Amino acid sequence: MNALNTYFKISERGSDIQTEIRAGFTTFLTMSYILFINPQILALAGMPANDVAIATALAAAIATLIMGIFANFPFALAPGMGLNAYFTFGVVKGMGVDWQIALVAVFIEGLIFMALAMTGVRTKLINAIPHCIKIATMTGIGLFLAIIGFQGANLTVDHPATLVTLGNLHDPAVLLALAGIVLTASLVVKQVKGAILIGIVSLTLIAWFTGLSPMPESIVAMPSLPEETFMALDFSQIFNATLITVVIAFLFVDIFDTAGTLMGVGRLGGFLNSKGELPGADRAFMADATGTTAGSLLGTSTVTTYIESATGIEEGGRTGLTAVVVAALFLLALFFTPLFTAVPALATAPALIVVGAMMMSAAREMDWSKLEDGVPAFLTIIAMPFTYSIAHGITLGVISYVLIHTFTGKARDIHPLMVVLAAALIAYHAFI
Protein backbone atom coordinates (compact mmCIF):
# COMPACT_ATOMS: atom_id res chain seq x y z
CA MET A 1 0.00 0.00 0.00
CA ASN A 2 2.84 2.37 0.82
CA ALA A 3 4.47 1.56 -2.51
CA LEU A 4 1.24 2.37 -4.37
CA ASN A 5 0.86 5.58 -2.39
CA THR A 6 4.41 6.64 -3.16
CA TYR A 7 4.41 5.71 -6.86
CA PHE A 8 1.07 7.29 -7.72
CA LYS A 9 1.47 10.22 -5.27
CA ILE A 10 -1.96 9.43 -3.87
CA SER A 11 -1.70 11.27 -0.55
CA GLU A 12 0.13 14.15 -2.22
CA ARG A 13 -2.88 14.70 -4.49
CA GLY A 14 -5.36 14.55 -1.64
CA SER A 15 -6.76 11.08 -2.26
CA ASP A 16 -6.54 7.57 -0.84
CA ILE A 17 -6.41 4.04 -2.26
CA GLN A 18 -10.06 3.26 -1.53
CA THR A 19 -11.19 6.41 -3.28
CA GLU A 20 -9.02 5.65 -6.31
CA ILE A 21 -10.47 2.13 -6.60
CA ARG A 22 -14.04 3.42 -6.30
CA ALA A 23 -13.30 6.10 -8.90
CA GLY A 24 -11.97 3.42 -11.26
CA PHE A 25 -15.17 1.38 -10.97
CA THR A 26 -17.25 4.52 -11.55
CA THR A 27 -15.33 5.49 -14.68
CA PHE A 28 -15.57 1.97 -16.09
CA LEU A 29 -19.32 1.78 -15.49
CA THR A 30 -19.95 5.07 -17.26
CA MET A 31 -17.86 4.25 -20.33
CA SER A 32 -18.31 0.50 -20.64
CA TYR A 33 -21.04 1.11 -23.21
CA ILE A 34 -18.19 1.28 -25.75
CA LEU A 35 -17.93 -2.51 -25.42
CA PHE A 36 -21.48 -2.74 -26.77
CA ILE A 37 -21.46 0.09 -29.27
CA ASN A 38 -18.04 -0.16 -30.93
CA PRO A 39 -18.65 -3.70 -32.30
CA GLN A 40 -22.00 -2.54 -33.70
CA ILE A 41 -20.56 0.51 -35.47
CA LEU A 42 -17.50 -1.27 -36.89
CA ALA A 43 -19.60 -4.29 -37.89
CA LEU A 44 -21.31 -1.93 -40.35
CA ALA A 45 -17.88 -1.57 -41.96
CA GLY A 46 -17.82 -5.35 -42.51
CA MET A 47 -15.72 -6.23 -39.46
CA PRO A 48 -16.70 -9.28 -37.33
CA ALA A 49 -18.42 -7.97 -34.21
CA ASN A 50 -16.93 -10.58 -31.87
CA ASP A 51 -13.38 -9.75 -32.95
CA VAL A 52 -14.06 -6.03 -32.54
CA ALA A 53 -15.41 -6.60 -29.03
CA ILE A 54 -12.18 -8.37 -28.04
CA ALA A 55 -10.02 -5.73 -29.74
CA THR A 56 -11.98 -2.95 -28.03
CA ALA A 57 -11.42 -4.38 -24.55
CA LEU A 58 -7.72 -5.10 -25.17
CA ALA A 59 -6.97 -1.72 -26.76
CA ALA A 60 -8.79 0.09 -23.94
CA ALA A 61 -6.90 -1.92 -21.30
CA ILE A 62 -3.49 -1.30 -22.91
CA ALA A 63 -3.97 2.44 -23.42
CA THR A 64 -5.56 3.05 -20.01
CA LEU A 65 -2.85 1.05 -18.23
CA ILE A 66 -0.17 3.18 -19.91
CA MET A 67 -2.07 6.33 -18.97
CA GLY A 68 -2.16 5.24 -15.35
CA ILE A 69 1.37 3.91 -14.92
CA PHE A 70 3.30 6.17 -17.30
CA ALA A 71 1.36 9.46 -17.17
CA ASN A 72 -0.20 9.06 -13.69
CA PHE A 73 -3.52 10.61 -14.69
CA PRO A 74 -6.99 9.22 -13.78
CA PHE A 75 -8.02 9.30 -17.44
CA ALA A 76 -9.42 6.24 -19.21
CA LEU A 77 -9.09 5.50 -22.92
CA ALA A 78 -10.90 3.33 -25.46
CA PRO A 79 -11.78 3.40 -29.16
CA GLY A 80 -13.39 6.79 -29.56
CA MET A 81 -17.02 7.50 -30.29
CA GLY A 82 -17.22 9.70 -33.36
CA LEU A 83 -13.85 8.37 -34.46
CA ASN A 84 -15.30 4.89 -34.92
CA ALA A 85 -18.25 6.42 -36.77
CA TYR A 86 -15.86 8.28 -39.05
CA PHE A 87 -13.98 5.01 -39.64
CA THR A 88 -17.19 3.25 -40.72
CA PHE A 89 -19.31 5.93 -42.37
CA GLY A 90 -16.65 8.38 -43.55
CA VAL A 91 -13.84 6.06 -44.68
CA VAL A 92 -15.20 2.56 -45.36
CA LYS A 93 -18.69 3.46 -46.57
CA GLY A 94 -18.05 7.04 -47.68
CA MET A 95 -14.74 6.54 -49.52
CA GLY A 96 -15.16 2.86 -50.38
CA VAL A 97 -11.98 1.86 -48.54
CA ASP A 98 -11.72 -1.73 -47.26
CA TRP A 99 -11.57 -1.96 -43.47
CA GLN A 100 -8.21 -3.75 -43.66
CA ILE A 101 -6.77 -0.69 -45.44
CA ALA A 102 -8.51 1.71 -43.06
CA LEU A 103 -6.76 -0.05 -40.16
CA VAL A 104 -3.44 0.77 -41.85
CA ALA A 105 -4.40 4.44 -41.73
CA VAL A 106 -5.11 4.11 -38.00
CA PHE A 107 -1.76 2.34 -37.50
CA ILE A 108 0.20 5.03 -39.35
CA GLU A 109 -1.66 7.74 -37.47
CA GLY A 110 -0.65 6.15 -34.17
CA LEU A 111 3.01 6.07 -35.19
CA ILE A 112 2.90 9.72 -36.26
CA PHE A 113 1.31 10.68 -32.97
CA MET A 114 4.02 8.83 -31.08
CA ALA A 115 6.61 10.94 -32.87
CA LEU A 116 4.66 14.13 -32.25
CA ALA A 117 4.23 13.28 -28.57
CA MET A 118 7.93 12.46 -28.06
CA THR A 119 9.02 15.72 -29.68
CA GLY A 120 6.39 17.85 -27.94
CA VAL A 121 4.96 19.07 -31.25
CA ARG A 122 1.48 17.76 -30.48
CA THR A 123 1.30 19.66 -27.20
CA LYS A 124 2.48 22.88 -28.87
CA LEU A 125 -0.12 22.49 -31.59
CA ILE A 126 -2.89 21.95 -29.04
CA ASN A 127 -1.83 24.99 -27.03
CA ALA A 128 -1.99 27.07 -30.22
CA ILE A 129 -5.64 26.23 -30.95
CA PRO A 130 -8.02 28.91 -29.69
CA HIS A 131 -10.35 28.08 -26.85
CA CYS A 132 -13.49 28.58 -28.93
CA ILE A 133 -12.52 25.84 -31.41
CA LYS A 134 -11.62 23.41 -28.63
CA ILE A 135 -14.99 23.93 -26.96
CA ALA A 136 -16.86 23.77 -30.27
CA THR A 137 -15.18 20.50 -31.22
CA MET A 138 -16.37 18.77 -28.07
CA THR A 139 -19.86 20.22 -28.50
CA GLY A 140 -20.06 19.24 -32.16
CA ILE A 141 -19.04 15.68 -31.42
CA GLY A 142 -21.94 15.59 -28.95
CA LEU A 143 -24.36 16.45 -31.78
CA PHE A 144 -22.69 13.89 -34.03
CA LEU A 145 -23.21 11.18 -31.42
CA ALA A 146 -26.83 12.26 -31.07
CA ILE A 147 -27.66 11.88 -34.75
CA ILE A 148 -26.06 8.41 -34.77
CA GLY A 149 -28.18 7.55 -31.75
CA PHE A 150 -31.32 8.84 -33.46
CA GLN A 151 -30.55 6.62 -36.43
CA GLY A 152 -29.87 3.59 -34.23
CA ALA A 153 -33.21 4.10 -32.49
CA ASN A 154 -34.97 4.68 -35.83
CA LEU A 155 -36.13 8.03 -34.51
CA THR A 156 -34.56 9.54 -37.62
CA VAL A 157 -35.12 7.92 -41.01
CA ASP A 158 -34.34 9.05 -44.53
CA HIS A 159 -36.84 10.98 -46.65
CA PRO A 160 -36.65 11.68 -50.41
CA ALA A 161 -37.80 15.30 -50.07
CA THR A 162 -36.43 16.49 -46.73
CA LEU A 163 -33.43 14.13 -46.39
CA VAL A 164 -34.51 13.14 -42.87
CA THR A 165 -37.79 12.81 -41.00
CA LEU A 166 -39.31 11.31 -37.85
CA GLY A 167 -39.46 7.54 -37.61
CA ASN A 168 -42.48 5.35 -36.93
CA LEU A 169 -43.67 6.11 -33.40
CA HIS A 170 -45.99 3.09 -33.53
CA ASP A 171 -42.99 0.75 -33.72
CA PRO A 172 -42.45 -0.93 -30.29
CA ALA A 173 -38.67 -0.78 -30.73
CA VAL A 174 -38.78 2.99 -31.31
CA LEU A 175 -41.03 3.49 -28.29
CA LEU A 176 -38.66 1.40 -26.15
CA ALA A 177 -35.71 3.53 -27.29
CA LEU A 178 -37.64 6.71 -26.39
CA ALA A 179 -38.34 5.28 -22.96
CA GLY A 180 -34.64 4.47 -22.69
CA ILE A 181 -33.70 8.10 -23.28
CA VAL A 182 -35.98 9.21 -20.44
CA LEU A 183 -34.71 6.44 -18.14
CA THR A 184 -31.02 7.04 -18.84
CA ALA A 185 -31.31 10.82 -18.56
CA SER A 186 -33.24 10.52 -15.28
CA LEU A 187 -30.58 8.26 -13.79
CA VAL A 188 -27.84 10.66 -14.90
CA VAL A 189 -29.68 13.61 -13.37
CA LYS A 190 -30.06 11.67 -10.11
CA GLN A 191 -26.29 11.00 -10.29
CA VAL A 192 -26.77 7.24 -10.08
CA LYS A 193 -23.44 5.52 -10.54
CA GLY A 194 -23.39 3.55 -13.77
CA ALA A 195 -26.49 5.35 -15.03
CA ILE A 196 -25.68 4.78 -18.71
CA LEU A 197 -24.87 1.12 -18.13
CA ILE A 198 -28.11 0.60 -16.18
CA GLY A 199 -30.06 2.11 -19.06
CA ILE A 200 -28.40 -0.15 -21.62
CA VAL A 201 -28.85 -3.30 -19.54
CA SER A 202 -32.49 -2.52 -18.78
CA LEU A 203 -33.41 -1.92 -22.43
CA THR A 204 -31.44 -4.97 -23.54
CA LEU A 205 -33.26 -7.29 -21.15
CA ILE A 206 -36.64 -5.88 -22.18
CA ALA A 207 -35.75 -6.28 -25.87
CA TRP A 208 -34.57 -9.85 -25.34
CA PHE A 209 -37.57 -11.01 -23.30
CA THR A 210 -40.13 -9.29 -25.56
CA GLY A 211 -38.63 -10.71 -28.72
CA LEU A 212 -37.60 -7.32 -30.13
CA SER A 213 -34.01 -8.60 -30.32
CA PRO A 214 -32.53 -12.14 -30.26
CA MET A 215 -30.93 -13.37 -27.07
CA PRO A 216 -27.22 -14.30 -27.04
CA GLU A 217 -26.42 -17.95 -27.72
CA SER A 218 -23.95 -17.87 -24.82
CA ILE A 219 -22.85 -15.46 -22.12
CA VAL A 220 -19.32 -16.45 -21.13
CA ALA A 221 -16.48 -17.36 -23.47
CA MET A 222 -12.80 -17.91 -22.90
CA PRO A 223 -10.94 -14.86 -24.16
CA SER A 224 -8.65 -15.12 -27.15
CA LEU A 225 -7.03 -12.88 -29.69
CA PRO A 226 -9.29 -11.72 -32.53
CA GLU A 227 -9.37 -14.34 -35.30
CA GLU A 228 -10.03 -12.23 -38.39
CA THR A 229 -8.97 -8.71 -37.39
CA PHE A 230 -5.69 -9.45 -35.57
CA MET A 231 -2.80 -8.25 -37.76
CA ALA A 232 -5.25 -7.97 -40.68
CA LEU A 233 -3.79 -4.70 -41.94
CA ASP A 234 -3.47 -4.46 -45.72
CA PHE A 235 -0.37 -2.42 -46.62
CA SER A 236 -0.81 -2.87 -50.37
CA GLN A 237 -2.28 0.65 -50.73
CA ILE A 238 0.17 2.40 -48.40
CA PHE A 239 1.24 4.90 -51.08
CA ASN A 240 -2.24 5.36 -52.48
CA ALA A 241 -3.51 8.97 -52.40
CA THR A 242 -6.78 7.85 -50.81
CA LEU A 243 -4.97 6.22 -47.89
CA ILE A 244 -2.91 9.36 -47.38
CA THR A 245 -6.07 11.46 -47.17
CA VAL A 246 -7.53 9.04 -44.63
CA VAL A 247 -4.39 9.26 -42.46
CA ILE A 248 -4.54 13.06 -42.58
CA ALA A 249 -8.23 13.02 -41.69
CA PHE A 250 -7.64 10.69 -38.73
CA LEU A 251 -4.77 12.92 -37.59
CA PHE A 252 -6.87 16.07 -37.55
CA VAL A 253 -9.87 14.39 -35.94
CA ASP A 254 -7.85 12.67 -33.20
CA ILE A 255 -5.83 15.79 -32.40
CA PHE A 256 -8.95 17.79 -31.61
CA ASP A 257 -10.89 14.97 -29.98
CA THR A 258 -8.15 13.99 -27.54
CA ALA A 259 -7.11 17.56 -26.81
CA GLY A 260 -10.62 18.69 -26.01
CA THR A 261 -11.18 15.80 -23.64
CA LEU A 262 -7.84 16.20 -21.87
CA MET A 263 -8.45 19.89 -21.35
CA GLY A 264 -11.99 19.27 -20.10
CA VAL A 265 -11.32 16.51 -17.60
CA GLY A 266 -7.95 18.03 -16.70
CA ARG A 267 -9.68 21.25 -15.68
CA LEU A 268 -12.24 19.31 -13.63
CA GLY A 269 -9.48 17.48 -11.75
CA GLY A 270 -7.42 20.61 -11.15
CA PHE A 271 -4.53 19.42 -13.31
CA LEU A 272 -4.25 22.53 -15.52
CA ASN A 273 -1.77 25.29 -14.75
CA SER A 274 -2.47 29.02 -14.69
CA LYS A 275 -2.11 29.20 -18.49
CA GLY A 276 -4.75 26.55 -19.04
CA GLU A 277 -2.14 23.99 -20.08
CA LEU A 278 -1.84 20.39 -18.88
CA PRO A 279 1.62 19.61 -17.43
CA GLY A 280 2.62 16.14 -18.53
CA ALA A 281 0.38 16.28 -21.59
CA ASP A 282 3.10 14.64 -23.72
CA ARG A 283 2.90 11.48 -21.58
CA ALA A 284 -0.88 11.47 -21.85
CA PHE A 285 -0.63 11.84 -25.63
CA MET A 286 1.87 8.95 -25.71
CA ALA A 287 -0.69 6.69 -24.00
CA ASP A 288 -3.24 7.72 -26.61
CA ALA A 289 -0.83 7.08 -29.50
CA THR A 290 0.29 3.70 -28.16
CA GLY A 291 -3.32 2.64 -27.67
CA THR A 292 -4.20 3.68 -31.21
CA THR A 293 -1.28 1.72 -32.70
CA ALA A 294 -2.01 -1.39 -30.63
CA GLY A 295 -5.71 -1.10 -31.38
CA SER A 296 -5.12 -1.06 -35.13
CA LEU A 297 -3.10 -4.27 -34.87
CA LEU A 298 -5.86 -5.90 -32.83
CA GLY A 299 -8.63 -4.66 -35.09
CA THR A 300 -10.31 -1.47 -33.90
CA SER A 301 -10.45 2.22 -34.73
CA THR A 302 -8.60 5.12 -33.12
CA VAL A 303 -8.22 5.09 -29.32
CA THR A 304 -8.80 8.32 -27.46
CA THR A 305 -9.32 9.71 -23.95
CA TYR A 306 -12.88 9.48 -22.68
CA ILE A 307 -14.88 12.40 -21.31
CA GLU A 308 -16.53 9.88 -18.97
CA SER A 309 -13.27 9.98 -17.01
CA ALA A 310 -14.87 13.02 -15.41
CA THR A 311 -17.20 10.74 -13.44
CA GLY A 312 -14.27 9.06 -11.73
CA ILE A 313 -12.68 12.42 -11.04
CA GLU A 314 -15.94 13.57 -9.46
CA GLU A 315 -15.74 10.45 -7.25
CA GLY A 316 -12.37 11.71 -6.02
CA GLY A 317 -9.94 9.94 -8.38
CA ARG A 318 -6.79 12.00 -8.76
CA THR A 319 -4.03 9.57 -9.77
CA GLY A 320 -3.12 6.89 -12.27
CA LEU A 321 -4.33 4.18 -9.88
CA THR A 322 -7.87 5.04 -11.00
CA ALA A 323 -6.84 4.31 -14.59
CA VAL A 324 -5.15 1.03 -13.60
CA VAL A 325 -8.43 -0.15 -12.03
CA VAL A 326 -10.31 0.74 -15.23
CA ALA A 327 -7.76 -1.20 -17.31
CA ALA A 328 -8.20 -4.28 -15.09
CA LEU A 329 -11.98 -4.14 -15.51
CA PHE A 330 -11.66 -3.97 -19.30
CA LEU A 331 -9.56 -7.14 -19.19
CA LEU A 332 -12.20 -8.84 -17.05
CA ALA A 333 -14.81 -7.89 -19.65
CA LEU A 334 -13.04 -10.11 -22.19
CA PHE A 335 -14.79 -13.14 -20.69
CA PHE A 336 -18.22 -11.78 -21.67
CA THR A 337 -17.87 -10.80 -25.34
CA PRO A 338 -20.83 -12.96 -26.57
CA LEU A 339 -23.05 -11.02 -24.20
CA PHE A 340 -21.77 -7.63 -25.37
CA THR A 341 -22.24 -8.34 -29.07
CA ALA A 342 -25.88 -9.39 -28.55
CA VAL A 343 -26.90 -5.98 -27.17
CA PRO A 344 -29.32 -4.39 -29.70
CA ALA A 345 -28.88 -0.95 -31.23
CA LEU A 346 -32.14 0.26 -29.68
CA ALA A 347 -30.55 -0.26 -26.25
CA THR A 348 -27.35 1.64 -27.00
CA ALA A 349 -28.94 4.50 -28.96
CA PRO A 350 -30.23 6.27 -25.82
CA ALA A 351 -26.72 6.12 -24.36
CA LEU A 352 -25.33 7.87 -27.44
CA ILE A 353 -27.98 10.57 -27.23
CA VAL A 354 -27.49 11.20 -23.51
CA VAL A 355 -23.68 11.22 -23.81
CA GLY A 356 -24.11 13.70 -26.66
CA ALA A 357 -26.19 15.89 -24.37
CA MET A 358 -23.50 15.71 -21.70
CA MET A 359 -20.87 16.88 -24.19
CA MET A 360 -23.09 19.82 -25.21
CA SER A 361 -22.57 21.36 -21.78
CA ALA A 362 -19.23 22.71 -22.99
CA ALA A 363 -21.08 25.27 -25.16
CA ARG A 364 -21.84 27.38 -22.09
CA GLU A 365 -18.16 28.31 -21.85
CA MET A 366 -18.37 30.16 -25.18
CA ASP A 367 -18.77 33.94 -25.34
CA TRP A 368 -21.30 33.94 -28.16
CA SER A 369 -21.40 37.76 -28.25
CA LYS A 370 -17.93 37.76 -29.86
CA LEU A 371 -18.89 36.75 -33.39
CA GLU A 372 -15.28 36.48 -34.53
CA ASP A 373 -15.15 33.47 -32.19
CA GLY A 374 -18.84 32.56 -32.24
CA VAL A 375 -19.19 32.05 -35.99
CA PRO A 376 -16.19 29.66 -36.33
CA ALA A 377 -17.42 27.82 -33.25
CA PHE A 378 -20.94 27.54 -34.67
CA LEU A 379 -19.64 26.27 -38.02
CA THR A 380 -17.54 23.67 -36.21
CA ILE A 381 -20.50 22.47 -34.17
CA ILE A 382 -23.21 22.43 -36.82
CA ALA A 383 -21.11 21.01 -39.68
CA MET A 384 -20.36 17.80 -37.82
CA PRO A 385 -23.91 16.37 -37.80
CA PHE A 386 -24.95 18.12 -41.04
CA THR A 387 -22.02 16.73 -43.05
CA TYR A 388 -21.77 13.54 -40.97
CA SER A 389 -18.10 14.28 -40.45
CA ILE A 390 -16.09 15.49 -37.46
CA ALA A 391 -13.21 16.39 -39.77
CA HIS A 392 -15.36 18.67 -41.92
CA GLY A 393 -16.59 20.53 -38.86
CA ILE A 394 -13.06 21.09 -37.58
CA THR A 395 -11.92 22.20 -41.02
CA LEU A 396 -14.65 24.83 -41.32
CA GLY A 397 -13.95 26.08 -37.81
CA VAL A 398 -10.20 26.45 -38.16
CA ILE A 399 -10.27 28.04 -41.61
CA SER A 400 -13.11 30.44 -40.79
CA TYR A 401 -11.39 31.47 -37.54
CA VAL A 402 -8.21 32.45 -39.35
CA LEU A 403 -9.99 34.23 -42.22
CA ILE A 404 -12.50 36.14 -40.07
CA HIS A 405 -9.82 37.34 -37.67
CA THR A 406 -7.63 38.35 -40.61
CA PHE A 407 -10.37 40.28 -42.45
CA THR A 408 -11.53 42.07 -39.29
CA GLY A 409 -8.08 43.36 -38.38
CA LYS A 410 -7.49 40.93 -35.54
CA ALA A 411 -4.75 38.91 -37.17
CA ARG A 412 -2.52 39.51 -34.17
CA ASP A 413 -4.79 37.21 -32.14
CA ILE A 414 -4.01 34.27 -34.43
CA HIS A 415 -1.25 31.90 -33.34
CA PRO A 416 1.22 31.29 -36.20
CA LEU A 417 0.62 27.54 -35.96
CA MET A 418 -3.09 28.19 -36.62
CA VAL A 419 -2.18 29.87 -39.91
CA VAL A 420 -0.11 26.84 -40.87
CA LEU A 421 -2.94 24.49 -39.89
CA ALA A 422 -5.53 26.49 -41.88
CA ALA A 423 -3.26 26.54 -44.93
CA ALA A 424 -2.74 22.77 -44.64
CA LEU A 425 -6.49 22.17 -44.44
CA ILE A 426 -7.18 24.38 -47.46
CA ALA A 427 -4.49 22.56 -49.43
CA TYR A 428 -5.89 19.21 -48.31
CA HIS A 429 -9.38 19.95 -49.61
CA ALA A 430 -8.19 21.77 -52.72
CA PHE A 431 -5.67 19.24 -53.98
CA ILE A 432 -6.14 15.92 -52.12
Side-chain angles (χ1 to χ4, degrees), residues 162-192:
T162 60
L163 295 182
V164 294
T165 190
L166 183 65
N168 180 13
L169 295 184
H170 296 284
D171 185 342
V174 174
L175 293 176
L176 181 57
L178 280 171
I181 296 173
V182 175
L183 171 64
T184 304
S186 299
L187 293 173
V188 170
V189 170
K190 296 293 289 183
Q191 298 183 342
V192 175

Side-chain angles (χ1 to χ4, degrees), residues 68-84:
I69 294 178
F70 180 59
N72 198 20
F73 284 128
F75 306 152
L77 302 91
M81 293 302 303
L83 288 160
N84 54 7

Side-chain angles (χ1 to χ4, degrees), residues 61-289:
I62 292 169
T64 306
L65 188 64
I66 294 173
M67 178 68 79
I69 294 178
F70 180 59
N72 198 20
F73 284 128
F75 306 152
L77 302 91
M81 293 302 303
L83 288 160
N84 54 7
Y86 180 72
F87 182 99
T88 294
F89 301 107
V91 178
V92 177
K93 287 183 173 291
M95 297 182 181
V97 176
D98 291 339
W99 61 264
Q100 294 91 339
I101 297 175
L103 286 177
V104 173
V106 176
F107 177 75
I108 295 173
E109 173 215 349
L111 294 180
I112 294 175
F113 272 155
M114 281 187 188
L116 293 177
M118 287 188 291
T119 58
V121 172
R122 192 173 177 183
T123 300
K124 292 178 182 178
L125 180 61
I126 297 308
N127 292 338
I129 297 170
H131 181 70
C132 65
I133 302 298
K134 292 178 181 177
I135 294 300
T137 299
M138 189 175 355
T139 306
I141 291 173
L143 284 179
F144 191 39
L145 295 182
I147 194 172
I148 296 173
F150 265 61
Q151 285 183 304
N154 280 326
L155 283 167
T156 296
V157 295
D158 61 344
H159 191 280
T162 60
L163 295 182
V164 294
T165 190
L166 183 65
N168 180 13
L169 295 184
H170 296 284
D171 185 342
V174 174
L175 293 176
L176 181 57
L178 280 171
I181 296 173
V182 175
L183 171 64
T184 304
S186 299
L187 293 173
V188 170
V189 170
K190 296 293 289 183
Q191 298 183 342
V192 175
K193 293 180 177 65
I196 294 175
L197 185 62
I198 292 172
I200 293 173
V201 171
S202 299
L203 294 182
T204 298
L205 292 176
I206 294 173
W208 284 349
F209 287 106
T210 58
L212 293 175
S213 179
M215 288 188 177
E217 296 181 359
S218 62
I219 295 177
V220 179
M222 289 302 296
S224 61
L225 288 176
E227 295 179 1
E228 297 180 47
T229 64
F230 181 61
M231 299 295 289
L233 290 73
D234 180 0
F235 287 92
S236 64
Q237 303 296 316
I238 192 169
F239 297 111
N240 185 285
T242 300
L243 183 65
I244 294 173
T245 62
V246 173
V247 172
I248 294 173
F250 276 140
L251 282 169
F252 284 125
V253 172
D254 197 13
I255 283 175
F256 287 88
D257 185 59
T258 302
T261 303
L262 285 178
M263 294 302 106
V265 296
R267 181 165 55 250
L268 180 66
F271 298 117
L272 302 188
N273 60 24
S274 58
K275 297 180 181 180
E277 300 170 348
L278 180 66
D282 288 340
R283 294 192 297 275
F285 285 137
M286 181 60 73
D288 171 273

Side-chain angles (χ1 to χ4, degrees), residues 130 367 369-376 400-416 418-419:
D367 182 0
S369 63
K370 295 176 61 178
L371 288 182
E372 65 272 24
D373 290 345
V375 171
S400 62
Y401 180 90
V402 172
L403 294 179
I404 291 173
H405 278 72
T406 299
F407 293 150
T408 56
K410 299 180 179 180
R412 67 168 67 95
D413 296 335
I414 307 172
H415 194 286
M418 276 291 288
V419 177

